[in-house]
Amino acid sequence: MGAGKTTIGKVLARRLGWRFVDSDHEIEARTGVRIPTIFEIEGEEGFRRRETQVLRELTGLRNVVMATGGGAVIAEENRRLLRDHGLVVYLDVSPAQLYERTRHDRNRPLLQVADPLRRLQELLAAREPFYREVADIVVDGNRCNAQAVVQLLTREHENLCNP
């Protein structure tokens, strides 16, 4: 949450001439409600089921840059789908930086707690091994701005497509 996946994904897709898709936005479009409402009604488990269903479909598309929700890697099936169907980038950002980027955002149900920074630390500690497991590329999102990350990923794409 707040790593820059959507911002970087949109710019990268534009640069590659590809389509950009955000799995969370896709879930909202299909359900007609915001993610906090899904969490409220179905809980995190219900949301995660929807997330896996959407990822099954989106990972079958070609010439797409996709941003997933930060918790998508929790499910083993999701990790397999991501690993098997694309180049996965992990934007490694510190909890303190994530907190600064998300502290005013009320659309993040997992951060609606008394101590959001502590929650971010807990989430990252639990998820980071999964992020690293699926990542083909790890980018230090603390030191690189969005444009620098897009330039790096564009070079990586060119190297992979033109060895």
Side-chain angles (χ1 to χ4, degrees), residues 96-160:
Q97 185 71 266
L98 295 172
Y99 174 73
E100 285 304 312
R101 294 177 185 177
T102 61
R103 66 188 176 130
H104 299 294
D105 188 343
R106 298 290 160 235
N107 197 40
R108 300 183 187 273
L110 294 178
L111 297 184
Q112 303 312 304
V113 295
D115 189 348
L117 175 57
R118 176 181 288 266
R119 183 67 174 137
L120 281 165
Q121 292 166 333
E122 293 166 352
L123 289 170
L124 189 58
R127 295 172 178 179
E128 185 170 33
F130 297 133
Y131 295 151
R132 292 192 180 277
E133 175 189 326
V134 299
D136 296 297
I137 300 170
V138 178
V139 176
D140 184 347
N142 295 299
R143 299 186 329 173
C144 296
N145 66 28
Q147 289 301 323
V149 173
V150 169
Q151 287 176 345
L152 170 74
L153 296 177
T154 302
R155 281 195 306 273
E156 284 295 321
H157 176 263
E158 288 170 358
N159 289 340
L160 288 170

